[in-house]
Amino acid sequence: MQAKVNVRRFNPDEERPKSYTQQFDVEVEEHFTVLDTLIKVREEIDGSLALRCSCRAAICGSCAMRVNGHAVLACKARVSQHLSDDGQVTVEPAGNQPVIKDLVVDLEPFWDKLRAVEPYLQPAMPEPEAEYLAPNEVMLHLVDVMGCIMCGACVSDCTVLEVDPNFLGPAALAKAYRFVADTRDEEDTKRLGIYNAYGGIWDCTRCGECVQACPKGVAPMDRIMALREKAVESGTPPGSYEGAQYGYRHSVAFEEIITHKGRLEETQLVVKTLGMFNLPKLLGMAPMALSAMFRRKMPPPITRAAPGVGQVRRLANRIRWNRLSKVE
Amino acid sequence: MYSHDVLVLGAGLAGMRAALEAARSGANVAMLSKVYPVRSHSNAAQGGINAALTDRGDDWHEHAYDTVKGSDFLGDQDAIEVMCREAGQELINLEHMGVIFNRDDEGRLGTRAFGGQRRARTFFVADITGQAILHVMYEQILKYNVRVYDEWYATTLITDHGRCGGVVAMEMRTGEVHAIRAKATILATGGLGRVFEPSTNALICTGDGMALAYRAGAPLMDMEMVQYHPTTLKGSGVLLSEGARGEGAYLINSRGERFMERYAPNMMELASRDVVSRAEITEINEGNDIDGCVLLDCRHLGRAKIMERLMYIHEVAMDLVGVDITKDPVPIRPGVHYQMGGIKTDVDGRCWDPAGNWKGVEGLFAAGETACVSVHGGNRLGANSLLDTVIFGRRSAEAAMDFAGANGHLEFSEDTWVGGEKASMQALLDNNGGGDLVAKLRLDMATAMDEGLGVYRTEEGMQQALNAVRGMKGRFKDVIVQDKGKAFNTNLIFALELGCMLDCAEAIAVGGIERKESRGAHSRLDYAARDDENWLKHILLYQGPGDQITKEYVPIVITQWQPEERKY
């Protein structure tokens, strides 16, 4: 089978470096991964093609890159499944990170963000003589997060990082979750304080791209949501970061309104999130409110409780109870 | 000039464990690695790590005996005792650092069975144990803020009169070449699987450290002892963990028989790796194969167990050969996996003998797969490699700190050393004639080695491989590096790695021809029996003089277990 591989290239050694696309015609076999294909290019056609790769088995995390616009591990992506009808596939460096050469990106910001979440176990002292006792279910749950190979595919496709490079990003926050969820770590309050800050858990927009991109099923966004839940449950104050305060109050208000009324009162949600006396922000919402009103889409400010609200409250209680026993 | 008390080359488990030990003691330590630490090949260790915990009723002597027997009595028993005795504490250290190990019903560390051992003493994290430990070790490196030269490639050890004083290395991002001065240098550069094709090893496993030490005058020991892992995927040669058999998977041939019955009636699929690999090749040679493979059958383990404990090999088999191991057996064959041999060290990682019984390089230490202590002898037990890395990584750091405390820096001319390395790199870059491409030459070498030094070997086959490799060493001088640039020139790095691999390949073949017996992984059709009378000894190889290789022998250390017939 013939593949036309369009590779985005960039050579910093040139006098005025510019990125460009180069097409390689490669004979590929059915079982070839994108990585096999690129290695063939590098070994047989152009030895100057730069990419990182090592294990060929989706465990070392070196070869995250964009294939047809989405981040994948090149060693896990069958090339035949990515070929267009006319046999083309486009390979670009991972996104949201500066390119060093061809498909090699600068990972320094990636590691810096990892450092920022204090990514090491902080147990209560003193250590026991033997191992810490921990339920197998807790460990099995952590295996899924520990499956993260730090490839950065999630970071490549994160839509928040596109507009705000300060965001800690899905990989670092998934790592952060691993410690909060680890029963041996005793620094949850400090940690949640850090993760509540600007660039932390409240800045995720829940777009789901990281879940899609992760080759190991870590589902970083779900971990970020779990951290939010922990922050709210543990009553960790949202700190001075406005974004965290709104995010935090939004979650609390949402739950409050639903359990009270059995349905969502959107007007109330806005008021409770921004604060009753936060006039500047509330006024800032006015244009949207007016436009909704003109289109007759303005929800009524106060509604009656939904029929069967008792049922909703019982459900809410049961969820709270389950959560509590899970935390214990 | 960059300057450190202790410099660690390689940032896999052995390297990071060494650096961590030095950092905790407050030493000026740095690590240098051609890949980011979490990309290291320790990741690929799937099944687990062995330790005999006394509070489980286990005894380290039992573990040591299993290891000695597994090594086919080539392992040094003093070193094996050290490793097995210290295993329990080191395992607990790992748990305290934050490794998440699978647990038993009481929340204590759980075990699984592994090959060549009479007791389940393998502690594990699903089938990603290496990755789970490697990433936690890196967490500790971040915690202690260890300086890491990320993506630097060391090209030579700086030595003078048999003393090592640091390295010359290239910063890959810029292509700049620097000298790094160190009072003590620890090699933790891993294995050399890429000398063979196919291999379970990552593309980075190119024997760099072994070649660097060898060129600097340190001896390589028992290089002929290359382990073939019994369960590697058809084609790519990617590993499927022994953990599968530990959990109860079967090996079956084309007739549906559990053929291990005939080769190891007691231990069956969990006999030592050399034994199982030979059995598979025999089955394949006798025509009981399916397209050159036998089958690994996990179906009866059930989906739940597979997804909890063998999730990674489930993923790999699905991705690479399209087999769902919960539903179908997967075709496998033996593949090159691990180098038991390596740079000779004592039990503290020293690459020289203070007593002077063998020559080496002072100030140089080695740990992990690149070293040969020797705890694995002729055949390594599964899940002893992770243990080896952490035990001897830590011990080499302790000895290196002592050495750095007692000795100053070696005086050398930075310009001369850096200039020399630049010149030899430039010579490679200047090749434009009719030489081979790097990849072509690598594949020729790896194919020749696979043919001549496979599971079964003969004098003739090994000699052919050796001749071929020697021919390729000549061709290497003309090898073509297409990338002439400075920044991230992986093409040049591959050429330098190939130079290392050719040195290692030659040593493997020379060692193989020299050892005229069958022991452990070294099975000769022309000397089919083990010969304790003549070959209960290690083979040391020194580079030089000139193109020659000098051979020496060192007796095996026997403390309490006399050689006996090996049956599983």
Side-chain angles (χ1 to χ4, degrees):
Chain A
M1 179 183 4
Q2 200 72 18
K4 292 186 195 317
V5 190
N6 303 308
V7 184
R8 195 79 187 149
R9 304 203 59 181
F10 176 79
N11 181 4
D13 286 332
E14 278 166 14
E15 211 164 295
R16 257 172 275 146
K18 238 176 36 200
S19 69
Y20 61 98
T21 301
Q22 185 175 3
Q23 190 173 78
F24 297 98
D25 287 324
V26 195
E27 180 66 31
V28 296
E29 288 168 45
E30 177 55 35
H31 66 268
F32 264 37
T33 61
V34 171
L35 181 63
D36 292 330
T37 311
L38 292 171
I39 288 178
K40 195 165 177 187
V41 170
R42 181 171 83 175
E43 293 194 337
E44 295 171 14
I45 307 174
D46 185 351
S48 75
L49 177 66
L51 66 141
R52 292 189 181 102
C53 56
S54 181
C55 74
R56 307 163 293 143
I59 200 78
C60 79
S62 301
C63 66
M65 57 186 71
R66 276 186 176 160
V67 173
N68 295 339
H70 292 282
V72 299
L73 269 187
C75 67
K76 211 175 144 70
R78 283 273 176 100
V79 72
S80 55
Q81 288 167 2
H82 288 84
L83 289 180
S84 63
D85 292 344
D86 59 345
Q88 303 213 25
V89 59
T90 300
V91 183
E92 299 163 294
N96 287 327
Q97 291 147 115
V99 175
I100 294 176
K101 180 177 175 183
D102 296 339
L103 301 170
V104 176
V105 296
D106 183 2
L107 287 170
E108 286 314 309
F110 180 90
W111 304 116
D112 285 344
K113 284 175 180 174
L114 182 65
R115 279 187 197 98
V117 302
E118 300 197 358
Y120 39 84
L121 195 74
Q122 300 181 41
M125 299 300 274
E127 285 174 347
E129 198 163 299
E131 69 267 44
Y132 291 100
L133 296 182
N136 198 38
E137 307 79 71
V138 173
M139 291 290 126
L140 288 181
H141 173 64
L142 287 174
V143 168
D144 292 343
V145 198
M146 212 57 218
C148 171
I149 54 176
M150 297 280 149
C151 68
C154 56
V155 165
S156 162
D157 286 12
C158 173
T159 53
V160 177
L161 279 168
E162 249 171 64
V163 293
D164 183 5
N166 185 65
F167 182 42
L168 284 171
L173 289 173
K175 183 78 164 179
Y177 172 76
R178 165 244 191 292
F179 298 102
V180 174
D182 193 324
T183 47
R184 298 169 296 178
D185 191 281
E186 299 284 340
E187 290 293 346
D188 286 7
T189 313
K190 179 178 81 173
R191 289 184 182 282
L192 290 168
I194 300 173
Y195 312 152
N196 261 334
Y198 171 44
I201 51 178
W202 298 101
D203 286 357
C204 166
T205 59
R206 303 189 62 167
C207 72
E209 285 289 337
C210 59
V211 179
Q212 190 92 359
C214 177
K216 302 301 287 187
V218 173
M221 185 187 82
D222 296 351
R223 312 297 172 184
I224 298 175
M225 293 312 122
L227 280 173
R228 284 186 185 175
E229 228 172 85
K230 297 254 183 202
V232 172
E233 272 167 14
S234 68
T236 308
S240 59
Y241 172 47
E242 240 187 3
Q245 290 165 6
Y246 295 145
Y248 186 95
R249 289 208 295 261
H250 185 268
S251 310
V252 175
F254 203 102
E255 189 179 330
E256 239 176 54
I257 296 168
I258 294 276
T259 44
H260 187 59
K261 289 285 175 74
R263 63 159 68 108
L264 188 64
E265 270 178 350
E266 285 165 298
T267 324
Q268 283 292 313
L269 185 63
V270 173
V271 172
K272 287 190 169 189
T273 300
L274 296 178
M276 184 96 66
F277 304 105
N278 189 351
L279 280 179
K281 280 278 174 191
L282 285 173
L283 284 173
M285 299 298 287
M288 192 164 82
L290 283 173
S291 125
M293 218 177 326
F294 282 127
R295 288 180 175 78
R296 299 193 183 165
K297 287 190 173 168
M298 179 72 172
I302 296 171
T303 53
R304 281 167 177 240
V309 64
Q311 192 84 10
V312 174
R313 286 176 195 158
R314 275 193 295 280
L315 270 174
N317 277 333
R318 192 183 299 167
I319 291 169
R320 278 192 202 121
W321 177 250
N322 282 347
R323 241 189 239 158
L324 276 178
S325 46
K326 206 167 69 188
V327 172
E328 292 311 307
Chain B
M1 191 175 6
Y2 300 105
S3 182
H4 302 283
D5 290 344
V6 179
L7 177 66
V8 184
L9 298 193
L13 270 181
M16 286 206 268
R17 185 65 188 86
L20 178 61
E21 193 62 24
R24 277 176 175 168
S25 312
N28 170 3
V29 60
M31 277 194 303
L32 180 150
S33 170
K34 62 181 177 180
V35 293
Y36 285 105
V38 296
R39 311 285 184 234
S40 305
H41 193 56
S42 306
N43 262 327
Q46 298 168 0
I49 177 167
N50 291 330
L53 293 190
T54 40
D55 65 1
R56 306 299 133 94
D58 204 352
D59 180 344
W60 69 260
H61 293 89
E62 300 280 308
H63 180 196
Y65 171 74
D66 286 343
T67 302
V68 169
K69 180 179 170 188
S71 82
D72 214 347
F73 298 89
L74 186 66
D76 283 326
Q77 297 180 10
D78 56 341
I80 291 172
E81 286 183 11
V82 163
M83 179 175 83
C84 297
R85 195 169 56 226
E86 295 181 4
Q89 187 54 52
E90 198 58 43
L91 178 78
I92 297 300
N93 288 347
L94 292 174
E95 201 275 340
H96 286 173
M97 283 179 205
V99 181
I100 53 177
F101 295 111
N102 285 53
R103 307 282 164 152
D104 63 15
D105 294 339
E106 292 150 38
R108 302 187 310 167
L109 304 181
T111 54
R112 68 161 43 126
F114 237 61
Q117 303 186 68
R118 293 157 301 163
R119 239 190 113 96
R121 63 169 69 91
T122 303
F123 296 87
F124 66 103
V125 185
D127 58 351
I128 58 164
T129 313
Q131 186 213 334
I133 300 179
L134 186 76
H135 281 243
V136 168
M137 199 65 83
Y138 186 56
E139 293 168 9
Q140 296 295 306
I141 292 295
L142 293 176
K143 178 178 175 185
Y144 286 91
N145 226 347
V146 176
R147 165 91 197 248
V148 188
Y149 296 91
D150 284 315
E151 299 193 319
W152 284 49
Y153 183 75
T155 61
T156 192
L157 297 174
I158 296 170
T159 52
D160 189 15
H161 289 90
R163 158 92 204 272
C164 178
V167 302
V168 178
M170 177 165 71
E171 183 180 16
M172 289 165 63
R173 184 176 181 152
T174 60
E176 295 299 331
V177 180
H178 302 273
I180 304 177
R181 193 164 71 155
K183 292 175 187 166
T185 306
I186 302 176
L187 294 169
T189 47
L192 49 62
R194 293 285 291 167
V195 167
F196 293 80
E197 185 72 36
S199 150
T200 62
N201 283 197
L203 305 183
I204 54 173
C205 301
T206 53
D208 303 340
M210 292 182 211
L212 257 51
Y214 186 46
R215 291 169 188 168
L220 299 180
M221 183 163 97
D222 300 339
M223 289 295 279
E224 66 279 12
M225 295 301 179
V226 178
Q227 179 165 77
Y228 279 75
H229 193 289
T231 54
T232 74
L233 273 182
K234 191 181 167 179
S236 63
V238 166
L239 175 70
L240 297 184
S241 173
E242 185 167 305
R245 283 171 288 139
E247 298 293 349
Y250 302 145
L251 290 171
I252 51 179
N253 61 17
S254 60
R255 292 188 291 191
E257 300 163 334
R258 282 181 74 186
F259 56 85
M260 284 310 296
E261 246 163 32
R262 283 181 270 126
Y263 302 89
N266 298 319
M267 299 286 276
M268 296 289 286
E269 281 86 355
L270 286 177
S272 267
R273 287 178 177 175
D274 57 334
V275 175
V276 181
S277 285
R278 277 194 290 274
E280 288 178 5
I281 291 291
T282 306
E283 289 296 309
I284 291 167
N285 289 344
E286 286 175 359
N288 298 329
D289 63 313
I290 299 163
D291 203 9
C293 291
V294 291
L295 299 171
L296 177 70
D297 190 353
C298 302
R299 290 173 296 182
H300 56 287
L301 303 179
R303 191 174 174 85
K305 194 171 193 180
I306 289 173
M307 296 318 283
E308 178 190 322
R309 298 185 158 203
L310 302 168
M311 57 178 192
Y312 173 65
I313 65 168
H314 177 264
E315 176 189 334
V316 165
M318 202 68 187
D319 286 348
L320 298 181
V321 290
V323 172
D324 180 347
I325 60 169
T326 64
K327 296 194 182 120
D328 295 297
V330 57
I332 49 92
R333 50 172 292 122
V336 162
H337 182 57
Y338 188 87
Q339 171 58 291
M340 271 79 69
I343 308 161
K344 168 146 183 71
T345 72
D346 67 11
V347 292
D348 295 310
R350 289 184 198 91
C351 301
W352 78 99
D353 182 19
N357 294 324
W358 47 278
K359 297 186 303 288
V361 178
E362 239 185 288
L364 186 66
F365 300 78
E369 189 173 345
T370 201
C372 182
V373 186
S374 135
V375 283
H376 309 305
N379 171 67
R380 174 175 68 76
L381 292 186
N384 264 355
S385 59
L386 288 180
L387 181 60
D388 171 8
T389 63
V390 288
I391 297 285
F392 294 103
R394 174 177 51 72
R395 292 180 65 96
S396 63
E398 286 164 356
M401 284 188 289
D402 284 349
F403 184 87
N407 294 274
H409 279 293
L410 181 77
E411 294 297 326
F412 61 87
S413 154
E414 185 180 6
D415 291 346
T416 311
W417 279 94
V418 170
E421 285 309 288
K422 277 186 176 167
S424 48
M425 283 183 221
Q426 196 56 49
L428 278 174
L429 291 169
D430 289 344
N431 283 341
N432 278 316
D436 300 286
L437 291 178
V438 177
K440 162 87 168 66
L441 196 50
R442 208 279 315 172
L443 189 60
D444 286 354
M445 169 197 66
T447 312
M449 290 298 286
D450 190 56
E451 281 167 12
L453 287 111
V455 169
Y456 285 110
R457 302 165 172 182
T458 62
E459 178 93 20
E460 194 192 354
M462 289 188 286
Q463 192 60 52
Q464 267 172 13
L466 178 61
N467 294 345
V469 167
R470 287 192 164 144
M472 289 172 207
K473 286 183 92 165
R475 279 156 65 193
F476 176 71
K477 295 186 179 72
D478 300 318
V479 80
I480 302 290
V481 177
Q482 290 167 303
D483 192 343
K484 308 293 183 193
K486 280 181 78 95
F488 226 92
N489 188 340
T490 46
N491 201 189
L492 175 61
I493 300 275
F494 296 153
L496 296 168
E497 289 173 341
L498 176 58
C500 292
M501 286 190 275
L502 284 165
D503 282 354
C504 293
E506 187 183 19
I508 293 168
V510 168
I513 294 166
E514 183 66 11
R515 186 174 288 282
K516 291 180 176 49
E517 64 161 348
S518 288
R519 182 186 297 274
H522 183 62
S523 311
R524 293 184 62 148
L525 296 173
D526 44 0
Y527 297 91
R530 197 174 81 191
D531 177 1
D532 288 339
E533 203 168 309
N534 296 304
W535 287 103
L536 205 54
K537 59 190 178 190
H538 300 295
I539 301 175
L540 267 57
L541 302 177
Y542 290 88
Q543 202 177 43
D547 287 341
Q548 306 282 302
I549 289 177
T550 308
K551 297 169 207 141
E552 267 182 24
Y553 304 100
V554 173
I556 286 160
V557 180
I558 294 176
T559 57
Q560 39 183 318
W561 297 283
Q562 289 303 319
E564 57 190 45
E565 197 192 352
R566 188 162 163 258
K567 270 192 181 156
Y568 285 101

